[in-house]
């Protein structure tokens, strides 16, 4: 029998909607959110800002730091949502070593649409020019990996429903009722050095609800709509 899922990892190339989906999942499930960008050292940020892709050597200590955070939360009894591109199987295998069961949700979208979306965003270190390198590195989930692939839908609410429907195919899937014991999600502070004190700040929690449905989606929609054009923060793995 499968163990309950401790960590939901939203993965995929930059701009695929990981951040928006994570916020909506928080509003539905009540789990805190961590973005992998917050764990990058300054050297990685500077390298990507110059338009240079990261190497596996650049990524390993960053992913190990994220994995350590996931394990710490699991040891505290906190179930999490994580955004991390996790493009390669080796990256996912490293994250899967965190304490507790790790379940990957691969969000996929059309490359041309992602180029357009990334071209509109401002204030993010990941330039659209690096998107082809991300697709070149991308290794889709294999049959023996613990996860599911979800096609990004026209609206954030529809994407959320698709994710939750996919999760329900797993016998140990998360309960769709929000867990009010969990703390608010975390988010990177604009202009703050990533990694400083975790680089995390509190985001206002969405409206509570007892079951996923109109009430919860209405509570999540304001955040979802506001985040729809927001940069997909994670770019590095």
């Amino acid at each position: 029998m499968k163990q309950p899922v401790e960590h939901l990892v939203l993965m995929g190339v930059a701009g695929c909607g990981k951040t928006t989906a994570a916020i909506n999942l928080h509003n539905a499930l009540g789990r805190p959110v961590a973005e992998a960008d917050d764990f990058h050292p300054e050297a990685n940020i500077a390298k990507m800002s110059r338009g240079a892709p990261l190497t596996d050597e650049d990524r390993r200590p960053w992913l190990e730091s994220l994995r350590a955070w996931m394990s710490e939360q699991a040891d505290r009894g906190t179930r999490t949502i994580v955004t991390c591109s996790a493009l390669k199987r080796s990256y996912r295998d490293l994250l899967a070593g965190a304490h507790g069961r790790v379940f990957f949700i691969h969000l996929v979208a059309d490359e041309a649409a992602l180029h357009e979306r990334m071209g509109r965003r401002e204030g993010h270190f990941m330039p659209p020019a690096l998107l082809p390198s991300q697709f070149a590195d991308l290794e889709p989930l294999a049959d023996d990996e613990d996860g599911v692939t979800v096609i990004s839908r026209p609206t954030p609410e529809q994407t959320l429903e698709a994710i939750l429907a996919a999760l329900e195919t797993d016998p140990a899937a998360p309960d769709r009722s929000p867990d009010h014991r969990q703390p608010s999600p975390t988010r990177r502070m604009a202009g703050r050095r990533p990694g400083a004190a975790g680089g995390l700040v509190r985001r206002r929690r969405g409206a509570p609800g007892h079951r996923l449905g109109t009430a919860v989606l209405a509570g999540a929609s304001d955040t979802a709509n506001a985040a729809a054009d927001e940069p997909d923060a994670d770019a590095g793995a």
Side-chain angles (χ1 to χ4, degrees), residues 4 115 156 173 197 217-218 223:
H115 269 287
L217 286 176
T223 305

Side-chain angles (χ1 to χ4, degrees), residues 37 40 48 54 59 62 85 87 91 125-126 134 233-237:
D37 274 356
H40 269 303
M48 287 185 286
L54 299 180
R59 292 181 174 113
W62 162 60
S85 47
L87 300 177
Y91 307 159
F125 59 79
M126 176 69 174
Q134 292 222 320
D234 168 54

Side-chain angles (χ1 to χ4, degrees), residues 46-202:
K47 188 171 185 177
M48 287 185 286
S49 297
R50 295 194 302 270
L54 299 180
T55 65
D56 287 354
E57 291 72 24
D58 294 326
R59 292 181 174 113
R60 185 170 185 84
W62 162 60
L63 292 169
E64 288 175 341
S65 177
L66 179 59
R67 180 183 64 185
W69 180 88
M70 293 163 64
S71 292
E72 180 182 351
Q73 302 310 307
D75 291 345
R76 293 176 176 174
T78 300
R79 295 167 293 176
T80 71
I81 298 166
V82 175
T83 68
C84 180
S85 47
L87 300 177
K88 293 185 179 181
R89 171 69 183 261
S90 60
Y91 307 159
R92 298 191 293 271
D93 286 346
L94 193 155
L95 293 177
H99 298 175
R101 183 181 170 196
V102 179
F103 190 88
F104 294 94
I105 303 167
H106 182 192
L107 287 178
V108 297
D110 178 72
E111 183 172 357
L114 295 180
H115 269 287
E116 181 181 356
R117 183 185 301 175
M118 292 179 68
R120 295 196 308 264
R121 67 187 190 176
E122 299 178 355
H124 192 268
F125 59 79
M126 176 69 174
L130 286 182
L131 188 58
S133 71
Q134 292 222 320
F135 274 101
D137 284 343
L138 177 62
E139 297 174 1
L141 288 170
D143 290 342
D144 63 335
E145 290 188 86
D146 201 3
V148 66
T149 298
V150 175
I151 297 174
S152 183
R153 301 300 201 270
T155 69
E157 292 83 4
Q158 290 172 339
T159 299
L160 172 66
E161 280 295 330
I163 291 171
L164 291 171
L167 289 175
E168 286 184 347
T169 65
D170 188 293
D175 187 349
R176 291 178 67 153
S177 298
D179 185 350
H180 298 295
R181 296 172 299 173
Q182 302 289 357
S184 297
T186 54
R187 185 76 169 96
R188 186 178 48 174
M189 178 185 293
R192 183 173 182 176
R193 179 178 66 85
L200 305 175
V201 297
R202 298 293 181 185

